[in-house]
Amino acid sequence: MKRVALQERPNWREKATEFGFNFHTMYGEPYWCEDAYYQFTLAQIEQLEDATAELHQMCLKVVDRVVNSDALMARFQIPKHVWEFVRASWRTQQPSLYSRMDLVYDGVNPPKLLENNADTPTSLYEAAFFQWLWLEDQIAAGGLPQQADQYNSLQEKLIERFSELKNQHGFSLLHFACCQDTEEDRGTVQYLQDCAQEAGLANDFLYIEEIGLGERGQFTDPQDQIISNLFKLYPWEFMFRETFSTKLEDAGVRWLEPAWKAIISNKALLPLLWEMFPNHPNLLESYFAEDAHPPMDSYVIKPLFSREGANIRIIENGKEIASAEGPYGKEGMIVQEYCPMPRFNDSYTLIGSWLVNGEPCGIGLREDRALITQDLSRFYPHAIIG
């Protein structure tokens, strides 16, 4: 695994505009970067793929354990009034679309799971589409060798999955939703709509704030059309605490992601994985903060619901070396063994490993000068050479 300097495509910003990549620069800071790329061997990619597949199966075993335990449902801070709703989503095998695991990997040692973004993962468009465009352009321009490849079947797998949802699961119309005033979320959802369109699945868009409640308790769109299937880029832990959450069970909606994803997108997943699969090579030692556990000199404190690095603290040899502000923490904390990310020049690198319908199918890399990867951490493309 190497970080290799490379000439940028001279016209990439124009291409980004042409293809609707409107968040390549955010708040005046570069988000998409291509002054370098990450180079992997095929053996390294296979190591990432195998670890991702195994970790996913382990996560599903956690879901099965949690839905069968009132004590664990409470420990995951899932409100009691939605327990049956979450359980039913698992027991009726409600279909899922996609997820992303964040891994620490240096190309040599086994990849380690930091967390599972199983509910509302972003950085999809740039991983699935724009970095593939970069690869094709660089090969054509001679910047990369002709045999260069990329670990990336994301787009074809997404289209295939939408086709399955239409033909095997009976999705006739799929509504898509995200919050207003989030350009990145809207870009992610627009990309997914394009994939659904390509699969022949009729779709419509509305903002989360526009979802209404019909006379019979169904959710409706602004045209008073009943919502039967809904992809929402909006966290379950938020939805479970809103007024209309009492209607979730009776609304008759099939959700993407399904409610059982609330279990594996929660940091409480991490101590449970460690308890069920102790010393697994792809896991980091993890515990609930309030539980008795072996002392650790270097560890990370994470709130159960933290997103984009918020409220995370890193302790190394008993001293705090990094922290991030945010709104989380009251829901409880976990502690996880500290595993430093590989450093290239002055930046630390994190790998997002993507799955569609539970199948590993691509990666995206994020880089930051800070130890905690956050929303604006830079995205770099990758290539397989050798």
Side-chain angles (χ1 to χ4, degrees):
M1 179 178 167
K2 302 174 191 169
R3 188 185 191 277
V4 182
L6 187 67
Q7 198 75 32
E8 292 185 353
R9 293 170 294 169
N11 63 338
W12 77 259
R13 287 172 182 82
E14 290 78 11
K15 282 208 167 182
T17 302
E18 177 190 346
F19 288 105
F21 188 10
N22 300 317
F23 53 94
H24 61 75
T25 303
M26 290 195 274
Y27 310 105
E29 294 291 321
Y31 167 64
W32 168 269
C33 296
E34 55 176 74
D35 56 318
Y37 72 98
Y38 282 86
Q39 187 183 115
F40 293 85
T41 65
L42 185 58
Q44 289 168 333
I45 292 297
E46 286 170 347
Q47 193 176 14
L48 282 165
E49 186 173 48
D50 290 348
T52 301
E54 188 168 352
L55 284 164
H56 178 67
Q57 292 305 314
M58 289 154 59
C59 288
L60 296 183
K61 289 187 169 75
V62 170
V63 179
D64 201 53
R65 182 172 164 195
V66 173
V67 297
N68 288 299
S69 164
D70 287 357
L72 286 173
M73 291 286 271
R75 188 135 225 213
F76 275 63
Q77 293 296 316
I78 295 171
K80 194 169 185 178
H81 70 276
V82 294
W83 284 2
E84 288 313 309
F85 172 67
V86 173
R87 285 170 168 152
S89 74
W90 177 247
R91 289 169 182 163
T92 59
Q93 298 181 306
Q94 290 298 300
S96 69
L97 180 62
Y98 75 137
S99 60
R100 189 193 80 234
M101 291 184 183
D102 286 346
L103 305 174
V104 175
Y105 181 59
D106 59 6
V108 180
N109 297 295
K112 300 284 189 181
L113 177 68
L114 287 183
E115 57 191 62
N116 191 353
N117 299 279
D119 183 20
T120 57
T122 52
S123 77
L124 175 70
Y125 169 87
E126 49 274 37
F129 179 75
F130 206 69
Q131 73 166 340
W132 183 259
L133 204 61
W134 165 87
L135 180 81
E136 290 184 324
D137 287 348
Q138 286 290 8
I139 291 172
L144 291 173
Q146 286 294 316
Q147 73 274 17
D149 201 355
Q150 193 174 86
Y151 178 39
N152 187 3
S153 59
L154 258 165
Q155 182 162 298
E156 63 192 75
K157 292 285 197 306
L158 284 165
I159 293 168
E160 192 179 295
R161 183 57 173 156
F162 281 123
S163 180
E164 288 170 2
L165 292 171
K166 175 176 179 258
N167 298 321
Q168 293 171 29
H169 295 274
F171 281 52
S172 54
L173 172 67
L174 177 57
H175 281 82
F176 285 84
C178 68
C179 288
Q180 292 174 350
D181 305 321
T182 54
E183 193 167 27
E184 185 185 359
D185 286 5
R186 184 67 189 99
T188 299
V189 170
Q190 182 59 63
Y191 173 66
L192 285 168
Q193 283 184 262
D194 292 345
C195 291
Q197 195 74 35
E198 189 73 22
L201 176 54
N203 62 88
D204 210 344
F205 176 81
L206 74 164
Y207 289 109
I208 287 282
E209 295 87 344
E210 296 177 318
I211 296 174
L213 195 61
E215 290 176 7
R216 298 182 182 177
Q218 313 103 319
F219 294 131
T220 57
D221 68 13
Q223 289 73 46
D224 289 328
Q225 187 173 212
I226 291 171
I227 297 172
S228 300
N229 307 295
L230 179 63
F231 172 91
K232 45 101 205 143
L233 201 63
Y234 189 65
W236 276 117
E237 66 265 21
F238 291 179
M239 290 179 71
F240 288 163
R241 284 156 179 81
E242 291 176 2
T243 309
F244 75 78
S245 64
T246 56
K247 310 291 183 187
L248 285 168
E249 204 167 350
D250 301 321
V253 178
R254 280 188 296 188
W255 299 89
L256 292 173
E257 295 298 316
W260 56 263
K261 287 284 194 89
I263 294 169
I264 53 173
S265 62
N266 184 316
K267 307 294 186 301
L269 165 77
L270 302 167
L272 220 61
L273 280 171
W274 185 254
E275 180 189 325
M276 292 170 68
F277 306 96
N279 302 307
H280 189 282
N282 301 125
L283 293 178
L284 294 167
E285 192 174 353
S286 302
Y287 306 96
F288 289 99
E290 68 271 22
D291 287 0
H293 56 80
M296 290 189 277
D297 291 330
S298 300
Y299 55 93
V300 183
I301 303 168
K302 297 180 177 182
L304 300 192
F305 297 153
S306 171
R307 289 170 181 272
E308 295 166 347
N311 299 99
I312 284 176
R313 296 169 56 212
I314 301 177
I315 313 297
E316 187 173 36
N317 298 321
K319 291 183 181 176
E320 182 172 296
I321 59 168
S323 66
E325 307 243 315
Y328 304 101
K330 290 178 183 172
E331 71 276 14
M333 303 275 198
I334 65 112
V335 292
Q336 182 184 51
E337 173 192 349
Y338 177 45
C339 180
M341 288 184 282
R343 186 172 181 176
F344 295 86
N345 300 332
D346 62 347
S347 292
Y348 302 91
T349 302
L350 177 75
I351 295 179
S353 187
W354 289 93
L355 303 97
V356 172
N357 189 25
E359 295 293 323
C361 57
I363 56 171
L365 288 96
R366 305 286 297 281
E367 194 182 86
D368 206 304
R369 290 182 183 90
L371 286 168
I372 298 172
T373 307
Q374 300 191 54
D375 187 31
L376 299 180
S377 301
R378 302 177 301 281
F379 188 104
Y380 273 86
H382 77 277
I384 306 170
I385 299 172

